[in-house]
């Protein structure tokens, strides 16, 4: 008889839903499993104010399948020009839960990002006062800094200062990839937490580079060495409330990934929960999945736990090789490979 587990319905605390035809594919894939998702604001142009957030919220909602309870949680894209007044207006809009700090040019569509974190002290103070969380893409962007060292450099240069200067501001260190980041979060106050993606738990940089470059495993922050991967596995296995599910699912068309300059992002939405169940089971900590996926995130964001439940069955199945988007396709993360858990319809 197949093994089953039933957990509270999970949420995705870091996801890219894009816009247009890609959004029409990504939103139903996410809504099929997750009750809520923190929608990243790095569109073209970015979501920088309350009006942008409300408009994007409506576009996402228009793609939610009938009968689904899925609710997008909106974020603002911080720029050097983000003011305290913009934070107050975002809070009053009612749909904005957080602001995303992208160092300028750190990742996809981040050219408008922050060039000087120190200039945002008044904005951070307003976020603290309004209960708006700060979500941080923690990498420096100078070209002379080794790409594998950029997360640690950001911690040393910026993250320690942001946390020290804003002790009452809730901060999520997004998609952490290193033992340095995990240790930083563990040693920080209860107001600092982190999301961890399926790819950074399941893969290391060998899975990107050995035997030829695997463009569909290329993401930012980039996959790190196996010792960092093992540290991330260790912290989720502890069941610590400081770590929770954030897929960083980032759909890109196959043509954009398989090019002379392939873009960064792994599209995990078609089987996000199954990917986590697969690795948690491999690590012998499947009992910690509910906390990571369904409990720790709402607690940190100050939101209620979802009432509904979802059941997974231990049953091998194969991730599709591609997902159709109009006349083009997206290659999902773990494409063509066998997963050991399946969400029960």
């Amino acid at each position: 008889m197949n093994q089953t587990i039933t957990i509270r319905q999970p949420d995705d605390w870091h996801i890219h839903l894009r816009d247009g035809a890609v959004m029409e594919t990504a939103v139903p894939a996410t809504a099929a499993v997750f009750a809520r998702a923190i929608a990243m604001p790095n569109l073209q142009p970015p979501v920088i104010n309350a009006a942008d957030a409300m408009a994007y919220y409506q576009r996402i909602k228009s793609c939610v399948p009938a009968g689904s309870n899925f609710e997008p949680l909106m974020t603002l894209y911080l720029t050097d020009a983000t003011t305290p007044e913009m934070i107050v207006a975002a809070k009053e809009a009612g749909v904005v839960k957080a602001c995303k700090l992208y160092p300028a040019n750190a990742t996809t569509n981040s050219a408008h990002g922050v060039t000087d974190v120190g200039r945002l002290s008044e904005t951070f103070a307003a976020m603290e006062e309004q209960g708006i969380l700060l979500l941080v893409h923690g990498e420096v962007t100078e070209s002379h800094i080794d790409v594998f060292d950029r997360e640690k450099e950001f911690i040393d240069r910026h993250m320690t200062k942001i946390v020290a200067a804003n002790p009452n501001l809730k901060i999520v260190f997004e998609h952490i990839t290193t033992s340095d980041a995990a240790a930083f979060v563990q040693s920080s106050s209860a107001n600092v937490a982190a999301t961890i993606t399926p790819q950074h738990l399941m893969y290391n940089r060998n899975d990107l580079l050995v035997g030829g470059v695997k463009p569909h495993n290329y993401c930012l922050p980039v996959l790190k060495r196996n010792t960092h991967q093992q540290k991330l596995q260790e912290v989720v296995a502890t069941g610590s409330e400081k770590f929770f599910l954030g897929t960083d699912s980032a759909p890109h068309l196959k043509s954009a990934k398989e090019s002379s300059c392939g873009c960064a992002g792994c599209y995990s939405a078609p089987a996000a929960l199954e990917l986590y169940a697969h690795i948690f089971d491999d690590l012998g900590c499947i009992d910690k999945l509910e906390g990571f996926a369904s409990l720790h995130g709402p607690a940190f964001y100050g939101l209620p736990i979802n009432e509904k439940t979802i059941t997974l069955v231990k049953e091998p199945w194969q991730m599709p090789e591609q997902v159709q988007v109009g006349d083009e396709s997206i290659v999902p993360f773990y494409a063509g490979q066998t997963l050991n858990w399946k969400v029960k319809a």
Side-chain angles (χ1 to χ4, degrees), residues 217-290:
N217 292 344
Y218 173 56
C219 57
L220 288 172
V222 72
L223 295 167
K224 303 300 194 296
R225 66 168 63 245
N226 64 345
T227 52
H228 293 297
Q229 176 196 15
Q230 288 161 10
K231 177 63 175 179
L232 300 185
Q233 293 174 346
E234 288 171 14
V235 298
V236 299
T238 68
S240 169
E241 294 181 359
K242 282 180 159 283
F243 303 95
F244 44 85
L245 187 155
T247 61
D248 194 21
S249 178
H252 292 284
L253 295 175
K254 182 179 180 181
S255 56
K257 293 287 287 182
E258 298 179 7
S259 71
S260 61
C261 186
C263 49
C266 297
Y267 182 51
S268 56
L273 189 60
E274 288 99 332
L275 286 161
Y276 284 111
H278 184 101
I279 185 61
F280 273 60
D281 193 21
D282 281 355
L283 295 172
C285 61
I286 195 75
D287 60 310
K288 301 296 194 298
L289 180 64
E290 183 176 43

Side-chain angles (χ1 to χ4, degrees), residues 83-334:
T83 64
E85 291 75 20
M86 293 167 72
I87 300 301
V88 172
K91 178 69 172 183
E92 291 174 349
V95 299
V96 176
K97 301 300 180 188
C99 293
K100 182 66 182 290
L101 170 59
Y102 289 105
N105 300 308
T107 188
T108 304
N109 298 344
S110 62
H112 301 279
V114 175
T115 62
D116 183 359
V117 175
R119 291 169 60 179
L120 291 177
S121 58
E122 292 183 5
T123 299
F124 290 157
M127 290 169 59
E128 186 178 308
E129 187 175 312
Q130 296 296 322
I132 298 285
L133 280 71
L134 173 63
L135 315 182
V136 180
H137 181 118
E139 292 187 289
V140 297
T141 57
E142 291 94 329
S143 60
H144 67 279
I145 304 293
D146 190 290
V147 69
F148 294 105
D149 297 332
R150 292 181 179 187
E151 187 169 271
K152 183 182 187 305
E153 186 71 18
F154 187 92
I155 295 168
D156 296 343
R157 197 187 301 182
H158 300 298
M159 199 67 168
T160 51
K161 294 177 183 177
I162 294 170
V163 171
N166 305 277
N168 297 314
L169 177 62
K170 283 196 166 183
I171 299 172
V172 181
F173 200 158
E174 297 287 6
H175 45 49
I176 62 169
T177 66
T178 60
S179 57
D180 309 278
F184 176 82
V185 172
Q186 286 176 309
S187 65
S188 296
S189 78
N191 283 335
V192 179
T195 55
I196 304 180
T197 74
Q199 63 264 29
H200 291 108
L201 287 171
M202 299 177 82
Y203 282 173
N204 59 64
R205 63 190 187 185
N206 280 358
D207 298 291
L208 173 65
L209 299 170
V210 171
V213 176
K214 314 292 193 306
H216 300 286
N217 292 344
Y218 173 56
C219 57
L220 288 172
V222 72
L223 295 167
K224 303 300 194 296
R225 66 168 63 245
N226 64 345
T227 52
H228 293 297
Q229 176 196 15
Q230 288 161 10
K231 177 63 175 179
L232 300 185
Q233 293 174 346
E234 288 171 14
V235 298
V236 299
T238 68
S240 169
E241 294 181 359
K242 282 180 159 283
F243 303 95
F244 44 85
L245 187 155
T247 61
D248 194 21
S249 178
H252 292 284
L253 295 175
K254 182 179 180 181
S255 56
K257 293 287 287 182
E258 298 179 7
S259 71
S260 61
C261 186
C263 49
C266 297
Y267 182 51
S268 56
L273 189 60
E274 288 99 332
L275 286 161
Y276 284 111
H278 184 101
I279 185 61
F280 273 60
D281 193 21
D282 281 355
L283 295 172
C285 61
I286 195 75
D287 60 310
K288 301 296 194 298
L289 180 64
E290 183 176 43
F292 180 82
S294 312
L295 307 179
H296 303 165
F300 192 77
Y301 272 78
L303 295 171
I305 295 165
N306 297 313
E307 292 295 326
K308 292 185 178 180
T309 61
I310 196 161
T311 297
L312 293 122
V313 59
K314 193 166 188 181
E315 177 183 293
W317 65 285
Q318 191 175 66
M319 179 75 90
E321 293 283 357
Q322 56 187 21
V323 175
Q324 208 62 31
V325 180
D327 295 332
E328 298 193 72
S329 65
I330 298 171
V331 176
F333 179 69
Y334 224 61

